[in-house]
Amino acid sequence: MIFRLAALLALAMPTAAYSQTATGYGAPGENEAPIAFLIDVSSGQVLFERNADRRFIPASMTKAMTIYLAFELIEQGRLDPGQVMTVREDTWREWAGKGSTMFLPADARVRVDDLIAAIANVSANDGSIVLAEGQAGTVDAWVEEMNRHARLLGMTNSHFGTPNGWPDEGRTFTSARDLARLGEALVEQHPKKFARYVGRAGFTFNGITQPNRDPIIGRVRGADGIKTGFTNEAGFGFLGTAQRGGQRLVMVVAGIDRTAARARVSRRFIEWGFEAFERQRLFVDGALVGRARVQGGDARSVELATERTVFVNVPKGQVRAMTINIVYDGPLRAPIEAGENIARLEILVPGMEPAIVPLVASEAVNRAGFFRRIFNGIAGWLT
């Protein structure tokens, strides 16, 4: 059974309009970006979506999953940034100068550290293959791990057939919502690795320096990545992020027809995300927001707490009646550990997707002894 505890809150916000700010920033029109998605990952709130679950070909945005998998393997001790990999002759023949490249020579010995940086910043197709073969033994084994981690992230509309997004007759596909979830995982689960490898202005290897073609780095305040993509079939796309004052936005645009249009749309879109909403703090980190019923425990309920400061975005210039729900599958069953994620806070602003915030147990609830279970049963029958 799903339990809901609801509260109603009305907020009035002054100043600019929802679809376009006074500075000229705005969400892209459908003719500009058929697929568009923007989420405030610090609040869990979707600020804009269009065709967010439509499957499309990600092209080189696929490499964001290769980067994420590399970060996961480093964390698990299965990949060492200082490890040296050798370029196989067959790999060099197939990938030398093929699309975006880090210009790996035949039989080159290259550190994992350089491979990840090249994949992240100059979209190295050759580097992606060398990393996959060097760690997993074969490209197929690496791709299998990519798909396993995509499932763990809840990327239900995605499948990867290559480490680099090279055209594969449609076997590789994703959605804007899935890509945003991947972007969130990169910055939230691996912040130090993300800061080290992603978002450089350029990359130099073997005496060759190339610029990063990311459309917002150095042009949008707080921008720090993540990955562009292009093929003739897919058009131009971008998975990007920026952070200002503790607020991090992740955006996806896809199906754009020109590189200049992608740059313009991306900059306007993410600036709009920062400018068009009023950000309000609802609860501080660790705030107690309600209680959940517990079955079979030494207490009949447990207090629910936030595990981070909770913010909500409301379009400027509009009065919105906001509904806040506490949702959990219950009654919960003991034992419950302090800090265990047992419920969620749903913040509903009309016209916007719900913001979902995890709630944790503020204290432990142990399994009840025999007499306590009898007492709880009688008390539950009487109340």
Side-chain angles (χ1 to χ4, degrees):
M1 181 184 299
I2 296 179
F3 284 74
R4 290 181 180 269
L5 306 174
L8 190 65
L9 180 65
L11 294 180
M13 304 297 174
T15 70
Y18 176 55
S19 60
Q20 182 113 349
T21 67
T23 54
Y25 303 129
E30 189 163 9
N31 60 328
E32 294 179 299
I35 296 171
F37 188 80
L38 180 66
I39 185 170
D40 179 349
V41 300
S42 47
S43 71
Q45 194 173 13
V46 174
L47 304 182
F48 183 89
E49 64 167 305
R50 177 187 300 118
N51 297 320
D53 298 307
R54 178 193 290 178
R55 293 177 175 181
F56 66 92
I57 296 170
S60 282
M61 289 184 286
T62 297
K63 296 183 180 91
M65 178 52 80
T66 282
I67 295 165
Y68 175 76
L69 177 54
F71 289 175
E72 286 284 287
L73 294 172
I74 291 170
E75 195 73 17
Q76 296 165 16
R78 297 167 57 193
L79 185 65
D80 182 353
Q83 179 182 349
V84 175
M85 295 181 172
T86 302
V87 181
R88 295 172 56 250
E89 185 176 348
D90 288 348
T91 301
W92 177 79
R93 275 205 209 96
E94 181 178 358
W95 290 99
K98 193 172 182 178
S100 301
T101 176
M102 63 185 292
F103 298 103
L104 286 168
D107 298 323
R109 290 172 53 79
V110 56
R111 293 185 309 151
V112 167
D113 188 78
D114 286 328
L115 290 171
I116 298 173
I119 295 164
N121 297 286
V122 296
S123 198
N125 287 323
D126 50 355
S128 302
I129 301 298
V130 170
L131 178 63
E133 292 177 338
Q135 194 284 328
T138 66
V139 166
D140 287 345
W142 177 271
V143 168
E144 185 176 339
E145 279 288 288
M146 291 172 69
N147 286 310
R148 186 174 75 83
H149 279 77
R151 290 191 295 271
L152 291 173
L153 289 175
M155 298 174 65
T156 56
N157 280 311
S158 296
H159 182 268
F160 299 100
T162 72
N164 55 20
W166 193 259
D168 61 358
E169 298 179 339
R171 289 188 296 275
T172 295
F173 57 84
T174 190
S175 70
R177 195 184 307 275
D178 280 3
L179 273 184
R181 188 171 285 122
L182 173 58
E184 179 178 357
L186 280 166
V187 297
E188 296 282 292
Q189 296 179 21
H190 300 286
K192 291 183 179 178
K193 297 181 190 68
F194 182 83
R196 172 177 175 81
Y197 289 106
V198 181
R200 301 181 188 179
F203 176 75
T204 300
F205 180 78
N206 201 27
I208 301 171
T209 298
Q210 301 180 71
N212 189 335
R213 292 182 174 83
D214 184 294
I216 64 174
I217 291 175
R219 298 174 177 87
V220 171
R221 182 166 58 88
D224 50 3
I226 301 173
K227 193 70 200 69
T228 57
F230 167 74
T231 65
N232 290 327
E233 184 180 7
F236 292 89
F238 180 53
L239 165 64
T241 184
Q243 184 174 28
R244 295 180 188 172
Q247 181 184 23
R248 180 174 285 282
L249 304 184
V250 171
M251 58 172 277
V252 178
V253 291
I256 300 174
D257 58 0
R258 290 174 292 113
T259 183
R262 176 180 62 188
R264 183 181 65 254
V265 165
S266 298
R267 294 167 199 163
R268 288 176 53 223
F269 193 19
I270 204 158
E271 289 283 8
W272 173 81
F274 285 114
E275 297 290 336
F277 298 86
E278 188 75 23
R279 190 168 183 248
Q280 295 289 313
R281 189 179 72 181
L282 296 184
F283 301 104
V284 298
D285 183 10
L288 302 177
V289 299
R291 302 187 73 89
R293 289 174 54 188
V294 178
Q295 192 172 68
D298 59 4
R300 295 179 59 202
S301 65
V302 62
E303 285 191 305
L304 302 171
T306 60
E307 60 178 358
R308 64 177 190 235
T309 302
V310 178
F311 292 92
V312 66
N313 297 282
V314 177
K316 289 181 178 178
Q318 301 191 24
V319 177
R320 296 288 176 109
M322 182 191 311
T323 303
I324 301 175
N325 294 322
I326 295 173
V327 182
Y328 62 98
D329 295 328
L332 304 169
R333 294 187 179 276
I336 297 170
E337 296 182 5
E340 184 179 345
N341 189 334
I342 56 174
R344 64 186 184 272
L345 197 67
E346 287 186 351
I347 305 167
L348 304 171
V349 178
M352 301 179 68
E353 279 203 1
I356 308 297
V357 179
L359 295 177
V360 299
S362 66
E363 57 198 352
V365 179
N366 298 316
R367 187 176 285 112
F370 176 74
F371 291 107
R372 182 68 185 184
R373 290 199 301 273
I374 293 174
F375 173 80
N376 286 345
I378 295 171
W381 180 74
L382 293 173
T383 56

